[in-house]
Amino acid sequence: MRPVLFTTAAAIGLLLAASAQAQDLVIYDASEDVGAALTAAFSAAHPEIKLQVVSGSTGPITERAIAEMGNPQADVVYLVNNVALEQLKNAGVFEPYAPAGTEIRDEFRDPDDFYTRYFATTMCMVVNRDRLADKGLPMPATWEDLIKPAYKNEIAMPSPMQSGTGTTILATFVDAFGWPFVENLHENVYQYSDGGSGGAQLAGTGEVTIGLSYDTTCFATQSSGRPVDVVFGRITPNTSEGGGLVAGAQHPEEAKIFLDWLASKGAAEILGGLVGATAVPGYGLVDLDTVTTWNMRRPVDIEAFRREWAEKFVNN
């Protein structure tokens, strides 16, 4: 999963390598692996539009777009996460534009049309059936089950200090259930991994019974032949990524063509092979009609959340 991170000053250097050569469309892209597949397909469909893509992580991309307000160098900022999209909207980086002819779900569209989200990454459990049986443990059905004493030292998950996946999962738990739930869950965690896939890997190999991770890794663990089930809790922690039209863009018409294409079935078909859940129904690994995605009730200050988590579980 692409992490929910916002401050990496060193990564700004990646952005400064952009060529000054004039192009028909300049795109700031915060998810290079997914973005490369999308821009390649767009270029094949629209060879008349030349692209200049500036790639980096979410934080530097967002910071640069805000710094350039009044003299924007990008026409489109895209594949930044939902928190950054709101930050860019509130700062005035985006201007409203509703993509034409889209079948994107209403909940993936900004109500004021400042941005559109194209896919979601959902969080789930990988449960090792063999270890479950050996330990005589019940199959978990909800996140709330994970604080039962029977699962002590049987859970692995990403650390929120190193992983956006871990941050998303635990921040959602705090929002939905409160800090006491996370404190009880901590009592059952055998290991926190540095990366988002670590929990799924440990459950896949049977080192723990339950691993918490993100959808593509959970299903990849299952499809590899491991004796695991993928379980979604009663609610589904998630993050989503999208983009919008930069206010005062130098190439607004080309930008609108690109944004229309991103919201099309053609783009959803490509995304369906790369991500968990697409905003256009019918593509991807996860059918959003079968899960209940959690919408955060209050804004999350990621750095403040990490500091509080560290104070509770790392620094003591």
Side-chain angles (χ1 to χ4, degrees), residues 82-98:
N82 49 287
V83 178
L85 288 170
E86 278 294 303
Q87 186 179 356
L88 290 164
K89 172 185 173 179
N90 293 334
V93 171
F94 290 144
E95 68 177 65
Y97 178 69

mmCIF file of all heavy atoms in Angstrom, residues 82-98:
data_model
loop_
_atom_site.group_PDB
_atom_site.id
_atom_site.type_symbol
_atom_site.label_atom_id
_atom_site.label_comp_id
_atom_site.label_asym_id
_atom_site.label_seq_id
_atom_site.Cartn_x
_atom_site.Cartn_y
_atom_site.Cartn_z
ATOM 1 N N ASN A 82 -6.081 10.473 0.361
ATOM 2 C CA ASN A 82 -7.281 11.256 0.652
ATOM 3 C C ASN A 82 -7.006 12.417 1.605
ATOM 4 O O ASN A 82 -7.618 13.475 1.498
ATOM 5 C CB ASN A 82 -8.389 10.355 1.215
ATOM 6 C CG ASN A 82 -7.924 9.455 2.330
ATOM 7 O OD1 ASN A 82 -7.202 8.481 2.091
ATOM 8 N ND2 ASN A 82 -8.321 9.743 3.553
ATOM 9 N N VAL A 83 -6.060 12.239 2.539
ATOM 10 C CA VAL A 83 -5.732 13.329 3.453
ATOM 11 C C VAL A 83 -5.089 14.473 2.677
ATOM 12 O O VAL A 83 -5.410 15.649 2.866
ATOM 13 C CB VAL A 83 -4.809 12.832 4.576
ATOM 14 C CG1 VAL A 83 -4.436 13.980 5.506
ATOM 15 C CG2 VAL A 83 -5.483 11.714 5.366
ATOM 16 N N ALA A 84 -4.160 14.131 1.779
ATOM 17 C CA ALA A 84 -3.485 15.162 0.978
ATOM 18 C C ALA A 84 -4.454 15.843 0.019
ATOM 19 O O ALA A 84 -4.327 17.044 -0.254
ATOM 20 C CB ALA A 84 -2.327 14.547 0.203
ATOM 21 N N LEU A 85 -5.414 15.101 -0.507
ATOM 22 C CA LEU A 85 -6.403 15.715 -1.396
ATOM 23 C C LEU A 85 -7.162 16.823 -0.679
ATOM 24 O O LEU A 85 -7.380 17.908 -1.238
ATOM 25 C CB LEU A 85 -7.381 14.654 -1.918
ATOM 26 C CG LEU A 85 -6.828 13.664 -2.938
ATOM 27 C CD1 LEU A 85 -7.823 12.531 -3.166
ATOM 28 C CD2 LEU A 85 -6.501 14.358 -4.258
ATOM 29 N N GLU A 86 -7.555 16.574 0.548
ATOM 30 C CA GLU A 86 -8.244 17.608 1.316
ATOM 31 C C GLU A 86 -7.314 18.779 1.612
ATOM 32 O O GLU A 86 -7.723 19.939 1.571
ATOM 33 C CB GLU A 86 -8.778 17.012 2.625
ATOM 34 C CG GLU A 86 -10.098 16.285 2.477
ATOM 35 C CD GLU A 86 -11.229 17.232 2.102
ATOM 36 O OE1 GLU A 86 -11.462 18.206 2.842
ATOM 37 O OE2 GLU A 86 -11.884 16.992 1.070
ATOM 38 N N GLN A 87 -6.056 18.473 1.894
ATOM 39 C CA GLN A 87 -5.081 19.527 2.149
ATOM 40 C C GLN A 87 -4.912 20.414 0.921
ATOM 41 O O GLN A 87 -4.882 21.652 1.024
ATOM 42 C CB GLN A 87 -3.743 18.886 2.534
ATOM 43 C CG GLN A 87 -2.671 19.869 2.971
ATOM 44 C CD GLN A 87 -1.381 19.169 3.369
ATOM 45 O OE1 GLN A 87 -1.302 17.942 3.395
ATOM 46 N NE2 GLN A 87 -0.360 19.949 3.678
ATOM 47 N N LEU A 88 -4.824 19.798 -0.256
ATOM 48 C CA LEU A 88 -4.664 20.567 -1.494
ATOM 49 C C LEU A 88 -5.918 21.374 -1.809
ATOM 50 O O LEU A 88 -5.832 22.532 -2.247
ATOM 51 C CB LEU A 88 -4.338 19.605 -2.640
ATOM 52 C CG LEU A 88 -2.944 18.966 -2.575
ATOM 53 C CD1 LEU A 88 -2.877 17.757 -3.506
ATOM 54 C CD2 LEU A 88 -1.863 19.978 -2.943
ATOM 55 N N LYS A 89 -7.062 20.784 -1.573
ATOM 56 C CA LYS A 89 -8.319 21.512 -1.799
ATOM 57 C C LYS A 89 -8.405 22.730 -0.885
ATOM 58 O O LYS A 89 -8.696 23.846 -1.345
ATOM 59 C CB LYS A 89 -9.507 20.579 -1.543
ATOM 60 C CG LYS A 89 -10.863 21.271 -1.559
ATOM 61 C CD LYS A 89 -11.984 20.311 -1.168
ATOM 62 C CE LYS A 89 -13.314 21.044 -1.025
ATOM 63 N NZ LYS A 89 -14.428 20.121 -0.658
ATOM 64 N N ASN A 90 -8.140 22.529 0.394
ATOM 65 C CA ASN A 90 -8.279 23.619 1.356
ATOM 66 C C ASN A 90 -7.252 24.719 1.140
ATOM 67 O O ASN A 90 -7.505 25.889 1.443
ATOM 68 C CB ASN A 90 -8.190 23.066 2.774
ATOM 69 C CG ASN A 90 -9.360 22.174 3.133
ATOM 70 O OD1 ASN A 90 -10.451 22.311 2.576
ATOM 71 N ND2 ASN A 90 -9.149 21.230 4.034
ATOM 72 N N ALA A 91 -6.089 24.344 0.599
ATOM 73 C CA ALA A 91 -5.051 25.344 0.329
ATOM 74 C C ALA A 91 -5.342 26.158 -0.918
ATOM 75 O O ALA A 91 -4.741 27.216 -1.128
ATOM 76 C CB ALA A 91 -3.691 24.655 0.185
ATOM 77 N N GLY A 92 -6.257 25.665 -1.770
ATOM 78 C CA GLY A 92 -6.587 26.375 -2.997
ATOM 79 C C GLY A 92 -5.795 25.928 -4.212
ATOM 80 O O GLY A 92 -5.804 26.613 -5.245
ATOM 81 N N VAL A 93 -5.138 24.765 -4.128
ATOM 82 C CA VAL A 93 -4.362 24.264 -5.274
ATOM 83 C C VAL A 93 -5.276 23.823 -6.407
ATOM 84 O O VAL A 93 -4.976 24.046 -7.586
ATOM 85 C CB VAL A 93 -3.444 23.099 -4.836
ATOM 86 C CG1 VAL A 93 -2.805 22.426 -6.053
ATOM 87 C CG2 VAL A 93 -2.367 23.607 -3.885
ATOM 88 N N PHE A 94 -6.392 23.204 -6.080
ATOM 89 C CA PHE A 94 -7.295 22.666 -7.094
ATOM 90 C C PHE A 94 -8.375 23.671 -7.465
ATOM 91 O O PHE A 94 -8.793 24.499 -6.646
ATOM 92 C CB PHE A 94 -7.981 21.396 -6.593
ATOM 93 C CG PHE A 94 -7.074 20.198 -6.455
ATOM 94 C CD1 PHE A 94 -7.263 19.304 -5.414
ATOM 95 C CD2 PHE A 94 -6.059 19.952 -7.364
ATOM 96 C CE1 PHE A 94 -6.452 18.188 -5.277
ATOM 97 C CE2 PHE A 94 -5.241 18.847 -7.239
ATOM 98 C CZ PHE A 94 -5.430 17.961 -6.193
ATOM 99 N N GLU A 95 -8.862 23.559 -8.696
ATOM 100 C CA GLU A 95 -10.098 24.226 -9.090
ATOM 101 C C GLU A 95 -11.112 23.147 -9.444
ATOM 102 O O GLU A 95 -10.742 22.033 -9.829
ATOM 103 C CB GLU A 95 -9.882 25.169 -10.269
ATOM 104 C CG GLU A 95 -9.547 24.523 -11.590
ATOM 105 C CD GLU A 95 -9.434 25.546 -12.705
ATOM 106 O OE1 GLU A 95 -8.527 26.403 -12.661
ATOM 107 O OE2 GLU A 95 -10.264 25.470 -13.628
ATOM 108 N N PRO A 96 -12.405 23.434 -9.311
ATOM 109 C CA PRO A 96 -13.402 22.387 -9.543
ATOM 110 C C PRO A 96 -13.397 21.897 -10.988
ATOM 111 O O PRO A 96 -13.301 22.682 -11.927
ATOM 112 C CB PRO A 96 -14.731 23.071 -9.193
ATOM 113 C CG PRO A 96 -14.358 24.228 -8.326
ATOM 114 C CD PRO A 96 -13.015 24.678 -8.820
ATOM 115 N N TYR A 97 -13.501 20.570 -11.124
ATOM 116 C CA TYR A 97 -13.728 19.962 -12.433
ATOM 117 C C TYR A 97 -14.338 18.589 -12.212
ATOM 118 O O TYR A 97 -13.773 17.757 -11.500
ATOM 119 C CB TYR A 97 -12.441 19.816 -13.251
ATOM 120 C CG TYR A 97 -12.724 19.142 -14.589
ATOM 121 C CD1 TYR A 97 -13.453 19.818 -15.554
ATOM 122 C CD2 TYR A 97 -12.299 17.847 -14.834
ATOM 123 C CE1 TYR A 97 -13.764 19.202 -16.763
ATOM 124 C CE2 TYR A 97 -12.592 17.227 -16.036
ATOM 125 C CZ TYR A 97 -13.329 17.903 -16.995
ATOM 126 O OH TYR A 97 -13.652 17.292 -18.186
ATOM 127 N N ALA A 98 -15.497 18.350 -12.827
ATOM 128 C CA ALA A 98 -16.174 17.058 -12.743
ATOM 129 C C ALA A 98 -15.898 16.291 -14.028
ATOM 130 O O ALA A 98 -16.318 16.720 -15.108
ATOM 131 C CB ALA A 98 -17.677 17.250 -12.561
#
